Amino acid sequence: MRPDVSVIIPAYRRPVELEAALRSVLSQANVTTEIVVVDDCPDGSASAVVAGFHADGIRYLKNPEPSRGRPAVVRNLGWPLARGELVHFLDDDDLVPEGHYEAARAAFAAHRDVGVVFGRVEPFGAVDLTHERQYFADATRRARRFARFGRRLGLGAAMVFGPTPLVCGAAMIRRSCIADLGGFDPDLELVEDVDFYARAIRRFGALVLDRVSLHYRIGPSLMHRPGQQDAIAACYRRIQARYRAEHGALEFVLAKAFVRVMGG
């Protein structure tokens, strides 16, 4: 039987966090799931964690050529194996909120015209989460505001030209949409999830759920390494250049101005 949700989890030397992530998926009620753990560690650090579950529906795949910190490459190894109608790209240190898959499946069923569903991000893990909580509260308000101007154009523009309203694990996507997009851009070292979901939302539309869709762990990450701001800016220039090439100069200029006027 085909599962309702396929969960793709890139893993790298976080066995305790990975175990918690897997348990959060396996505890989802009233949906069927399959999990594909793609181990990007040369020594296969995730294999023992997966083997310890003795559960059906978990597959382990070791990347034969570790990406050295390119999540897009790792996720692209996993999604072609997905059999579910819906796909969730979950990082190995994040958690799925109780009941989220059931709610997301219902939202997709009720809105056949959208390819992406996402909700609020709830940060956890650090001692002081003041900044992160404020950022994601603002992100939710921005997402709802831009959605009023179109589930494709409004939200798509917000993704490309403003602070991102989501992180990768906060969204779910129809499996049929991923192949049309060609998966993640493997040439993007950072913000590859912004690019992926920006393209998905602009092409297929998105629905913003009024619920928490991800418990997002705050800790060391590729994004927060010293000197990364220049690299992030370069990645955004690539994302915006692709938008211009695909949708034309007029839409590019209007979308950028629209986001600026709306306050990003």
Side-chain angles (χ1 to χ4, degrees):
M1 183 176 68
R2 190 171 75 169
D4 298 314
V5 182
S6 296
V7 187
I8 311 301
I9 305 180
Y12 187 86
R13 289 181 179 163
R14 291 192 282 211
V16 175
E17 293 86 350
L18 174 60
E19 180 177 348
L22 289 170
R23 292 193 186 281
S24 76
V25 173
L26 294 173
S27 66
Q28 297 293 305
N30 302 317
V31 293
T32 56
T33 61
E34 69 171 359
I35 303 170
V36 180
V37 176
V38 186
D39 196 343
D40 199 37
C41 182
D43 58 15
S45 63
S47 60
V49 177
V50 173
F53 273 84
H54 304 291
D56 293 334
I58 304 180
R59 302 177 63 181
Y60 172 82
L61 174 65
K62 186 175 182 294
N63 186 358
E65 298 181 9
S67 73
R68 297 185 178 182
R70 288 180 176 261
V73 172
V74 185
R75 295 188 187 113
N76 282 346
L77 289 174
W79 70 257
L81 303 177
R83 298 181 299 117
E85 178 184 355
L86 309 175
V87 176
H88 184 205
F89 293 101
L90 178 68
D91 285 350
D92 63 351
D93 60 340
D94 294 335
L95 304 173
V96 186
E98 182 178 351
H100 175 56
Y101 286 173
E102 183 179 15
R105 183 185 61 180
F108 276 110
H111 299 273
R112 297 286 182 180
D113 59 328
V114 301
V116 176
V117 162
F118 69 94
R120 302 194 304 274
V121 175
E122 184 176 85
F124 75 101
V127 175
D128 184 2
L129 294 169
T130 303
H131 172 75
E132 288 79 9
R133 285 175 177 150
Q134 186 62 56
Y135 177 89
F136 287 115
D138 291 343
T140 298
R141 286 191 287 271
R142 287 196 305 272
R144 290 172 178 164
R145 183 167 71 246
F146 280 98
R148 294 200 297 269
F149 294 90
R151 290 175 175 169
R152 297 188 183 195
L153 284 171
L155 280 172
M159 290 289 295
V160 173
F161 299 106
T164 180
L166 59 85
V167 295
C168 192
M172 293 174 63
I173 185 170
R174 296 187 193 273
R175 180 171 54 90
S176 58
C177 298
I178 303 174
D180 289 345
L181 295 169
F184 290 79
D185 183 347
D187 293 326
L188 283 173
E189 296 184 30
L190 299 164
V191 297
E192 76 294 329
D193 53 341
V194 175
D195 170 72
F196 176 76
Y197 278 110
R199 290 185 288 123
I201 290 170
R202 176 58 184 82
R203 188 175 302 185
F204 304 109
L207 178 71
V208 183
L209 295 180
D210 186 19
R211 62 172 287 123
V212 174
S213 61
L214 183 71
H215 296 302
Y216 180 58
R217 190 184 302 271
I218 303 300
S221 73
L222 295 173
M223 291 287 290
H224 298 130
R225 289 178 180 174
Q228 289 291 64
Q229 291 307 309
D230 288 345
I232 292 171
C235 289
Y236 268 99
R237 287 194 293 271
R238 178 182 174 89
I239 293 169
Q240 292 171 1
R242 191 203 321 256
Y243 190 100
R244 184 185 185 109
E246 291 183 352
H247 304 293
L250 179 59
E251 181 176 325
F252 177 89
V253 171
L254 292 175
K256 187 175 183 178
F258 168 68
V259 172
R260 185 184 302 117
V261 169
M262 291 293 292

